[in-house]
């Protein structure tokens, strides 16, 4: 099945480059392009893409607000932020707005395409190094929660799994760490989605941080 992608960036050259990369992949297709957040919201509604590859800093409606609007209705469209992490202080806000992950603009082409596929499949890939930086970003924010997030209803094994997700481990790595099958690890993650109301692994990372299971120091 072809993954349908909407490109959102206020720089035409960036969109053109991304369009070439995506078009060359046999299982991906660009169905539209937007240069503003408002246009992205309209096209996401009209085209119903599988993935919106979203820049954050745009004139008018920025990527954060556009992401919040696109994901507010709980539809199948997922937002994958494309930004320069070191320079953009709003990545965590975009994730809270409903984004399913984020990419750094200078990462390898194959990694960008792989991330689009993973997000389209309903998951999110976060490298451990990026996860640590993301959590560190949360920790610096004055609006971080004063009280730790409650994990009522989460079993001890699920807490272990959540901790490992927060460290950036994949299901296969979690299975190896806990000496369980990959299917069992995946089942634990699925139950955590339901119990914590998390959209995907990105938001499980946020939950792990807010519950005090992981720290910026790792």
């Amino acid at each position: 099945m072809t993954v349908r992608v909407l490109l959102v960036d206020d720089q035409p050259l960036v969109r053109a480059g991304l369009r070439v990369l995506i078009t060359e992949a046999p299982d991906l297709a660009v169905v539209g392009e937007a240069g503003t957040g408002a246009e992205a919201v309209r096209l996401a509604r009209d085209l119903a893409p599988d993935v919106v590859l979203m820049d954050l800093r745009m004139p008018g409606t920025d990527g954060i607000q556009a992401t919040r609007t696109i994901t507010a209705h709980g539809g199948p469209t997922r937002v994958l932020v494309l930004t320069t992490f070191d320079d953009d202080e709003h990545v965590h806000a975009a994730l809270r707005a409903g984004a399913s992950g984020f990419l750094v603009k200078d990462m390898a082409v194959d990694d960008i395409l792989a991330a689009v596929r993973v997000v389209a499949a309903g998951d999110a890939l976060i490298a451990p190094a990026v996860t640590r930086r993301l959590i560190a970003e949360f920790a610096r924010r004055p609006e971080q929660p004063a009280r730790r997030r409650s994990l009522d209803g989460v079993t001890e094994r699920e807490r272990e799994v959540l901790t490992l997700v927060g460290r950036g481990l994949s299901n296969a790595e979690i299975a190896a760490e806990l000496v369980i099958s990959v299917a069992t690890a995946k089942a634990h993650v699925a139950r955590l989605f339901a119990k914590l109301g998390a959209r995907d692994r990105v938001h499980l990372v946020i939950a792990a941080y807010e519950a005090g299971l992981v720290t910026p120091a790792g």
Side-chain angles (χ1 to χ4, degrees), residues 178-191:
L178 299 179
V179 195
I180 58 178
S181 70
V182 174
T184 299
K186 186 174 182 179
H188 283 310
V189 171
R191 284 193 288 272

Side-chain angles (χ1 to χ4, degrees), residues 78-166:
R78 292 180 170 270
V79 176
L80 182 57
V81 168
L82 182 63
T83 187
T84 304
F85 184 79
D86 285 337
D87 298 331
D88 202 322
E89 297 182 351
H90 302 295
V91 171
H92 78 296
L95 296 176
R96 293 187 186 282
S100 293
F102 67 89
L103 304 176
V104 181
K105 286 185 177 179
D106 62 357
M107 65 192 298
V109 171
D110 288 345
D111 290 338
I112 293 177
L113 300 182
V116 171
R117 295 182 182 103
V118 168
V119 168
D123 207 341
L125 269 180
I126 314 175
V130 176
T131 299
R132 286 192 293 271
R133 292 166 66 183
L134 176 61
I135 294 171
E137 182 75 10
F138 292 153
R140 287 196 295 268
R141 299 298 162 187
E143 67 269 22
Q144 61 181 301
R147 294 184 300 173
R148 287 187 173 181
R149 177 172 181 147
S150 172
L151 294 180
D152 291 344
V154 175
T155 67
E156 188 60 35
R157 175 60 91 183
E158 288 165 352
R159 287 174 67 94
E160 293 176 332
V161 171
L162 181 60
T163 300
L164 296 177
V165 170

Side-chain angles (χ1 to χ4, degrees), residues 68-79:
R68 184 176 296 112
T69 302
I70 291 170
T71 61
H73 303 295
T77 297
R78 292 180 170 270
V79 176

